[in-house]
Amino acid sequence: MTGTKPGGATQVISAVDTLPTADFFGYESLLSASEQRKLGELREFLAAEIAPFAGDWWNKAEFPAHILPKLAALQLSTPAQRGYSHLFAGLVIAEMTRVDTSIATFFMVHHDLFVESLYRFGSEDQRNRYLGDASNLRTTGAFALTEPDHGSDVAGGMETRARRISGRTGDPDGGGDCWVLNGAKRWIGNGTFCDYMLVWARDEADGAVRGFIVDAALPGVGRSRIENKIALRTVQNADIVFDNVRVAEADRFSGIGSFEDTNELLRGSRIMVGWQAVGQQLAAFDVARQYAVERQQFGRPLAKFQLIQQQLVSMLGNAVASMGMMARVAQLQEQGVGMAQVALAKSYTSARMRETVAMGRSILGGNGIVTDYRMAKIFADAEAIYTYEGSYEINTLIVGREVTGVSAIV
């Protein structure tokens, strides 16, 4: 990553040069040799195709659609189906986040939510029709759950409605056996440009929550980009409106019968956000350490000051502790990890992340608030990680309920 210092000199902060150091306890060594090689390929791709441009994309709030074929060529979609470990899948997200949180978030929304939904809940016909293109990023997907008035309480408060109309009972528009969707969704990642979205809606007949594969080009689908964000600016979050959108019965997820089914997906995506918190801390450490070594104050490098070393070590300790917790979660995934365990991991790692990026921004001083030096972007993007996939507070209450037997969630 390059940036311009005052006076026109160029500062170079490489996302690759410092990569081996921050894995201070060597968790990467737990991967197989083939997984380590694949992670190396990812790093080379990120260094060449993402790191030099990520700051500009972020500043302009533009998504680099042109990189998708190259990203697809890495064949990192659905690691479990490709024989990779959960630890590898997590480290992939951490490394992506380490270079650009927005690209990692795009990848998670598309692969860990949309594509994974097709694997877990799609019928054979749906997988045949959608999975090949989606897995290879020839088409892109979104996950439409959150609503304008319902985030943490969307399970009980979902207002988007689905009404089934059977052609046999006389559909006046000749639409055949289909569902009519009405409602609105908000904060939908990839929402402005996706080809398809997994939409969650409440069945008017019985109140059950159902999932639908919705072609984003269908009549009645309205999409608008959420503007003025201070985090994940490269991610194209959208407000989406459904106005009498007709979806064929063949595109309803038959494997989803209640909101509880979403927990299968949300547990996995929440784990990946925990890995994002790791990657964000590694990024902050990379930038702060290099800056401290190179920046001269009072006639010597910042790194020679005791308080700077103390902050760097605290940052590294937070990152290593977070990585250790997530590595253990990856082991637990092999036998089935509970939602409370995942909630603790996400809340803990995101809290440590907030501390870490704040210390990193402090080390850079005034330069920590301009994206030329990366740290401002890292600092701002951390706020999104702290909140999405279950806010810190909600995840804390999930764990509290587990350890006390009493729910404090209304």
Side-chain angles (χ1 to χ4, degrees):
M1 179 68 186
T2 61
T4 303
K5 295 179 179 177
T10 298
Q11 178 214 28
V12 179
I13 294 180
S14 169
V16 177
D17 291 344
T18 57
L19 281 171
T21 303
D23 183 11
F24 209 62
F25 281 16
Y27 287 107
E28 187 180 328
S29 66
L30 300 176
L31 298 176
S32 68
S34 62
E35 289 174 332
Q36 291 183 46
R37 286 193 296 272
K38 180 60 74 171
L39 202 62
E41 291 177 19
L42 172 62
R43 286 177 176 149
E44 291 177 1
F45 167 81
L46 294 171
E49 303 291 342
I50 306 298
F53 316 107
D56 191 47
W57 298 333
W58 195 94
N59 288 333
K60 295 179 179 178
E62 294 178 351
F63 182 79
H66 66 277
I67 68 162
L68 296 186
K70 294 179 181 179
L71 181 60
L74 293 173
Q75 296 188 322
L76 294 172
S77 174
T78 55
Q81 281 73 29
R82 296 182 186 275
Y84 293 124
S85 67
H86 291 294
L87 178 60
F88 172 80
L91 287 172
V92 163
I93 296 301
E95 290 299 331
M96 285 187 179
T97 304
R98 193 174 192 174
V99 175
D100 184 29
T101 315
S102 291
I103 294 301
T105 300
F106 160 80
F107 188 89
M108 288 165 49
V109 169
H110 177 75
H111 288 293
D112 293 310
L113 289 174
F114 182 76
V115 174
E116 190 65 23
S117 296
L118 289 169
Y119 267 113
R120 294 197 183 194
F121 299 115
S123 65
E124 182 177 359
D125 170 67
Q126 289 166 346
R127 289 195 294 269
N128 288 337
R129 285 189 289 133
Y130 296 113
L131 197 51
D133 285 339
S135 295
N136 291 286
L137 282 173
R138 291 188 292 269
T139 59
T140 55
F143 188 83
L145 175 62
T146 301
E147 298 186 346
D149 295 323
H150 300 286
S152 297
D153 71 341
V154 72
M158 186 180 298
E159 296 181 24
T160 301
R161 293 293 187 264
R163 175 169 52 90
R164 187 169 185 177
I165 298 177
S166 173
R168 292 187 297 274
T169 61
D171 179 357
D173 295 328
D177 194 2
C178 68
W179 295 77
V180 179
L181 304 185
N182 283 283
K185 300 293 183 179
R186 183 166 172 79
W187 292 116
I188 308 308
N190 309 344
T192 64
F193 62 84
C194 66
D195 299 293
Y196 301 97
M197 57 188 80
L198 171 52
V199 178
W200 301 88
R202 194 174 302 281
D203 191 338
E204 290 184 356
D206 58 10
V209 171
R210 307 200 184 280
F212 302 88
I213 305 170
V214 177
D215 186 330
L218 284 174
V221 177
R223 302 189 280 178
S224 59
R225 188 173 77 170
I226 296 175
E227 304 287 354
N228 306 320
K229 296 189 302 177
I230 66 163
L232 298 182
R233 289 175 53 79
T234 305
V235 175
Q236 303 298 295
N237 293 98
D239 283 309
I240 301 177
V241 175
F242 304 97
D243 183 9
N244 290 319
V245 177
R246 289 176 174 265
V247 181
E249 162 63 11
D251 285 329
R252 176 181 64 86
F253 270 121
S254 60
I256 293 173
S258 72
F259 190 83
E260 289 301 313
D261 293 321
T262 68
N263 284 335
E264 290 282 326
L265 299 167
L266 296 180
R267 182 165 53 239
S269 62
R270 194 162 293 177
I271 290 170
M272 291 307 169
V273 175
W275 280 109
Q276 277 198 297
V278 171
Q280 200 77 347
Q281 293 179 78
L282 298 180
F285 178 80
D286 289 343
V287 174
R289 190 192 72 161
Q290 186 163 343
Y291 187 88
V293 170
E294 295 177 353
R295 176 75 167 179
Q296 297 282 324
Q297 290 289 285
F298 301 101
R300 56 180 175 168
L302 283 178
K304 292 198 71 173
F305 290 90
Q306 292 178 1
L307 290 177
I308 296 297
Q309 289 201 5
Q310 186 273 330
Q311 288 184 85
L312 288 171
V313 172
S314 293
M315 293 171 69
L316 182 60
N318 281 349
V320 170
S322 297
M323 186 178 284
M325 179 175 279
M326 294 311 303
R328 176 56 180 157
V329 168
Q331 291 178 331
L332 292 174
Q333 283 180 274
E334 303 293 339
Q335 58 199 36
V337 62
M339 182 60 87
Q341 293 169 309
V342 173
L344 178 59
K346 199 274 179 174
S347 61
Y348 178 85
T349 57
S350 62
R352 300 293 77 72
M353 171 196 66
R354 244 189 175 185
E355 295 172 354
T356 299
V357 300
M359 285 186 281
R361 198 224 57 80
S362 176
I363 288 173
L364 267 70
N367 288 329
I369 65 170
V370 290
T371 55
D372 296 346
Y373 289 78
R374 283 191 68 204
M375 188 62 80
K377 176 177 175 292
I378 295 167
F379 181 86
D381 285 345
E383 287 302 292
I385 294 173
Y386 187 75
T387 296
Y388 64 24
E389 286 303 335
S391 67
Y392 173 81
E393 292 78 10
I394 288 296
N395 278 304
T396 297
L397 294 180
I398 290 173
V399 181
R401 180 176 60 197
E402 180 77 9
V403 300
T404 66
V406 178
S407 177
I409 301 176
V410 176

